[in-house]
Amino acid sequence: LLGARSLVAHANYASEQETMLLAQSGSLIVQCPTRYFLEGVPSRAYDYWQLGGSLALGTGSPCYNDNVDFFEEMRLLVYSQRARLERAVWSSRDVLEISARVPARQLGLRAGVIREGAAADIVLLDARRPWFMLTQNLVSSIVHAASSGDVDTVIVGGRVVVSGGRHVALDEERVFHQAEAASLTLLKRALNAAPELEKVLRLEAV
């Protein structure tokens, strides 16, 4: 099953032998740092990277990561390995490479770079934020200080889908209200089926 066409998610419970096998298999190993931090599980990201493995970054699912902020995942990838190894690992450019170029190359996408012939998939950040204006290293600020709230424009396939931080085609307020209503309906159904969940969720019955 392992090879350049395989995508392996998490892979944090691998033995030493399995870690070596995964790293040398050519598979793309996707790490989701927030999900690991939530459960107190040390990420094996740096082990795979040192052994020559191809790393990518993911946000995990909303049940583990409520804000789904890709910039935060970059930051937590660095923090998780520093906490585990008790030393600095990776440069900011290494982290950007893991976040964009490596997965694009592995998945055969013309993305992860801005150049002639590449797909016009571009994220533009608002450079007027203090952490961008008062820095000597813009790449470091993107990795260590940026958040999804800094995104001003998103271009997919040459088409602008986000402008001024808002989706150009969707009514965001309507989407939020529909999502809120759907979540309350789901919560009611869960509590009706299993009232003991109220204690687990620490919510009043709705």
Side-chain angles (χ1 to χ4, degrees):
L1 293 176
L2 299 178
R5 293 172 61 85
S6 296
L7 219 146
V8 181
H10 307 300
N12 274 333
Y13 294 97
S15 66
E16 188 174 330
Q17 183 179 3
E18 289 166 340
T19 298
M20 179 74 73
L21 177 66
L22 281 167
Q24 296 181 352
S25 70
S27 301
L28 185 62
I29 304 165
V30 184
Q31 297 283 290
C32 305
T34 295
R35 193 243 190 270
Y36 311 142
F37 264 174
L38 183 63
E39 294 196 3
V41 177
S43 168
R44 303 293 299 277
Y46 194 69
D47 294 345
Y48 290 118
W49 190 77
Q50 269 200 316
L51 292 168
S54 296
L55 279 186
L57 196 60
T59 60
S61 59
C63 61
Y64 290 111
N65 185 0
D66 292 331
N67 65 355
V68 192
D69 188 329
F70 194 82
F71 293 94
E72 186 173 276
E73 296 299 334
M74 288 196 289
R75 189 155 50 252
L76 290 182
L77 180 70
V78 175
Y79 293 172
S80 67
Q81 300 310 282
R82 285 185 179 179
R84 176 171 169 258
L85 301 171
E86 299 184 349
R87 60 186 174 86
V89 297
W90 287 316
S91 68
S92 300
R93 291 192 179 276
D94 288 333
V95 177
L96 276 184
E97 186 86 6
I98 291 168
S99 304
R101 289 191 180 185
V102 172
R105 184 168 61 243
Q106 187 92 0
L107 296 173
L109 303 175
R110 295 182 299 109
V113 293
I114 299 176
R115 68 183 178 207
E116 185 177 353
D121 295 342
I122 303 170
V123 175
L124 303 179
L125 305 180
D126 185 350
R128 294 168 295 184
R129 309 293 193 190
W131 38 92
F132 295 144
M133 297 179 68
L134 307 175
T135 182
Q136 304 301 313
N137 188 328
L138 184 59
V139 174
S140 179
S141 291
I142 291 173
V143 171
H144 294 284
S147 73
S148 58
D150 298 332
V151 174
D152 179 83
T153 304
V154 177
I155 304 169
V156 178
R159 183 171 64 92
V160 175
V161 295
V162 173
S163 179
R166 299 183 68 87
H167 201 288
V168 299
L170 295 176
D171 182 342
E172 292 187 0
E173 295 301 322
R174 181 167 173 266
V175 171
F176 293 151
H177 287 310
Q178 288 180 333
E180 182 181 28
S183 67
L184 289 174
T185 299
L186 180 62
L187 195 55
K188 287 178 181 178
R189 288 174 56 190
L191 289 172
N192 287 337
E196 65 273 14
L197 284 176
E198 185 177 349
K199 294 180 180 179
V200 178
L201 297 172
R202 297 180 182 175
L203 295 171
E204 295 182 357
V206 292

